[in-house]
Amino acid sequence: MQTVTKPLSAPGTAPSAAPTVYRILLAISLVHLLNDAMQAVVPALYPILEKSMALNYTQVGLISFFFNMTSSIMQPGVGFFTDKRPSPFLLPLGMLASMAGMVGLAVAPSFGWVLFAAMFVGLGSAVFHPEGSRVAHMAAGARKGFAQSIYQVGGNTGQSLAPLMTALIFVPLGQPGAAWFTLLAGLAIFVLFNVSKWYRLQLATGAVAKKGKKAVSEIQVKNVKFAIALLVLIVFARSWYSSAISNFYQFFLMEKFHLEIAGVQKFVFLFMLAGAVGTFFGGPLADRFGKWRVILFSLVGAAPFAVVLPHVSLFWAYPLLLCMGAILSSSFSVTVVYAQELIPGAVGLVSGLITGLAFGMGAIGAVALGKFADIYGLSTLMTVCSVLPLLGLLTFLLPKDEKSKKRTSLA
């Protein structure tokens, strides 16, 4: 197949100027899946480490804190740097750090070494995500929402594998099972070398927007800083609630219904898998109906399911997790594209802020949630966290994009 060498347009140029490069979108989505599958090793090990190292819930939260703070807080800095100096070589280098983290998790003899290894996995993620989002943006053509959905659904699918990893790998193999995930890192490095070649070609042909070139936005906003802060807070609420489900809901089910470790993984897997489906459809829905409307629906629409979840039987937990996971994650990719409209031309920085810093704030939440569970119990924790999606009502304070304005005026 002949390589497409036509330069892609900078943000805001005519949609017809650039085609959507599907092979690159699928490649970067595959690597996102592999990267986040390795990230998922960290929470997948929680039940194993909780028993083998006699950890309390606060310590479980600390593992999440060290991992997420490394992977998240560094992302805006990496994105800011690569906005000014795009660096294709960082993609495979970041994956090498994740590979080192996998080896460290497999052989860590103590809680302190687990924290250190988790930080290496986080470092690889911090390098990959801003540049991966940039590659998806460059390959998108006119279909920005769709492209981010393809990219993000890879990551969500990788994250959804955590419960299966616990049940199928770490329960029988224990902590050393993490060593098998170095194979995923090797495959990701191979794919990224090829993606980096295409990335360098786009730099050589002028596809990346030059510094200072103004891009056109679909959103008219007077106070960008306020809008970004509000958007980060909304993503923060979503990530706190997702953290409660992915990190502590399994312990809640084990305590309330006296289930084994392997038995509760299907519930968390269902929530995460539904999230991957919601992420996939969220981007195309935003392209059609508007980003603002999808962001509002994703949190407010998930709120009733979240409020009911801690009080239902195991039978009703299945459909609730399925519906809530899909709805809640429908804005996962949309918030990134929305933020890129707020700050045109700063793809890496925006990706770092929305998928990085906001989730870093969620990591603080993981520690707070763990401490809360130690003091007040898991049942109270899940009940309190169930109101977090209601913070999606803050979306009414965000400026609407053009498609949302048109849809609202027609309603």
Side-chain angles (χ1 to χ4, degrees):
M1 183 172 63
Q2 188 175 359
T3 303
V4 177
T5 58
K6 183 178 179 180
L8 300 182
S9 64
T13 57
S16 60
T20 302
V21 188
Y22 292 99
R23 64 181 181 85
I24 296 298
L25 282 179
L26 292 175
I28 202 67
S29 180
L30 171 63
V31 176
H32 201 181
L33 186 154
L34 298 173
N35 178 82
D36 284 26
M38 286 185 287
Q39 287 188 84
V41 168
V42 180
L45 278 171
Y46 289 164
I48 306 302
L49 297 174
E50 187 257 346
K51 288 187 175 297
S52 65
M53 295 187 179
L55 305 182
N56 56 37
Y57 295 130
T58 302
Q59 289 174 309
V60 171
L62 278 172
I63 299 173
S64 180
F65 174 80
F66 275 81
F67 163 66
N68 282 291
M69 290 299 282
T70 306
S71 67
S72 303
I73 293 302
M74 289 185 64
Q75 279 195 45
V78 173
F80 181 76
F81 172 80
T82 55
D83 280 335
K84 296 181 179 298
R85 306 180 77 178
S87 307
F89 68 90
L90 285 179
L91 287 167
L93 281 181
M95 203 56 60
L96 281 173
S98 294
M99 180 183 285
M102 289 299 102
V103 175
L105 286 173
V107 301
S110 65
F111 176 65
W113 281 104
V114 169
L115 296 180
F116 187 67
M119 289 174 65
F120 263 84
V121 180
L123 176 62
S125 179
V127 172
F128 169 75
H129 279 104
E131 286 297 85
S133 184
R134 186 189 311 283
V135 168
H137 184 81
M138 291 166 60
R143 307 186 67 183
K144 303 300 183 187
F146 171 78
Q148 279 297 324
S149 286
I150 294 295
Y151 169 65
Q152 298 292 354
V153 78
N156 281 26
T157 304
Q159 292 173 11
S160 73
L161 297 177
L164 294 182
M165 293 177 191
T166 301
L168 301 178
I169 298 176
F170 295 121
V171 169
L173 298 181
Q175 186 180 338
W180 285 100
F181 291 88
T182 57
L183 299 177
L184 298 188
L187 175 60
I189 291 169
F190 173 77
V191 176
L192 285 175
F193 270 120
N194 290 280
V195 171
S196 294
K197 291 178 182 178
W198 178 86
Y199 187 171
R200 285 194 296 270
L201 179 62
Q202 302 311 302
L203 293 177
T205 55
V208 179
K210 302 299 182 184
K211 182 179 178 181
K213 185 170 183 176
K214 187 176 180 180
V216 179
S217 174
E218 295 180 359
I219 304 172
Q220 296 179 357
V221 55
K222 295 180 179 179
N223 192 334
V224 174
K225 291 182 180 179
F226 173 76
I228 284 290
L230 198 60
L231 187 64
V232 168
L233 180 60
I234 291 170
V235 176
F236 169 54
R238 187 183 66 197
S239 66
W240 265 50
Y241 184 72
S242 295
S243 177
I245 297 295
S246 61
N247 293 334
F248 298 105
Y249 187 63
Q250 55 188 323
F251 297 116
F252 168 76
L253 292 176
M254 290 166 63
E255 179 182 278
K256 183 175 181 179
F257 297 103
H258 309 290
L259 300 177
E260 297 296 327
I261 292 177
V264 299
Q265 301 309 313
K266 56 189 175 183
F267 293 94
V268 182
F269 172 70
L270 184 65
F271 172 76
M272 291 183 167
L273 185 63
V277 174
T279 298
F280 177 78
F281 286 104
L285 287 173
D287 285 338
R288 181 182 177 95
F289 297 104
K291 294 176 277 292
W292 181 89
R293 293 167 70 90
V294 172
I295 294 171
L296 176 65
F297 169 72
S298 72
L299 279 95
V300 176
F305 300 99
V307 170
V308 173
L309 182 64
H311 311 289
V312 299
S313 65
L314 288 174
F315 175 82
W316 287 107
Y318 289 106
L320 286 176
L321 288 167
L322 182 65
C323 294
M324 182 177 62
I327 295 172
L328 190 67
S329 294
S330 62
S331 66
F332 197 91
S333 61
V334 178
T335 49
V336 177
V337 181
Y338 182 90
Q340 290 170 353
E341 291 285 342
L342 291 175
I343 313 178
V347 176
L349 175 61
V350 163
S351 175
L353 285 171
I354 300 304
T355 62
L357 182 60
F359 282 94
M361 295 169 68
I364 298 175
V367 179
L369 294 175
K371 188 66 175 179
F372 189 96
D374 283 331
I375 297 175
Y376 298 104
L378 289 165
S379 180
T380 304
L381 170 69
M382 299 309 304
T383 301
V384 170
C385 287
S386 67
V387 303
L388 284 173
L390 289 173
L391 288 176
L393 292 170
L394 293 173
T395 305
F396 282 107
L397 301 178
L398 288 172
K400 296 180 181 179
D401 54 289
E402 294 300 326
K403 286 189 175 66
S404 294
K405 290 178 182 177
K406 292 176 182 178
R407 294 280 173 179
T408 303
S409 64
L410 292 174

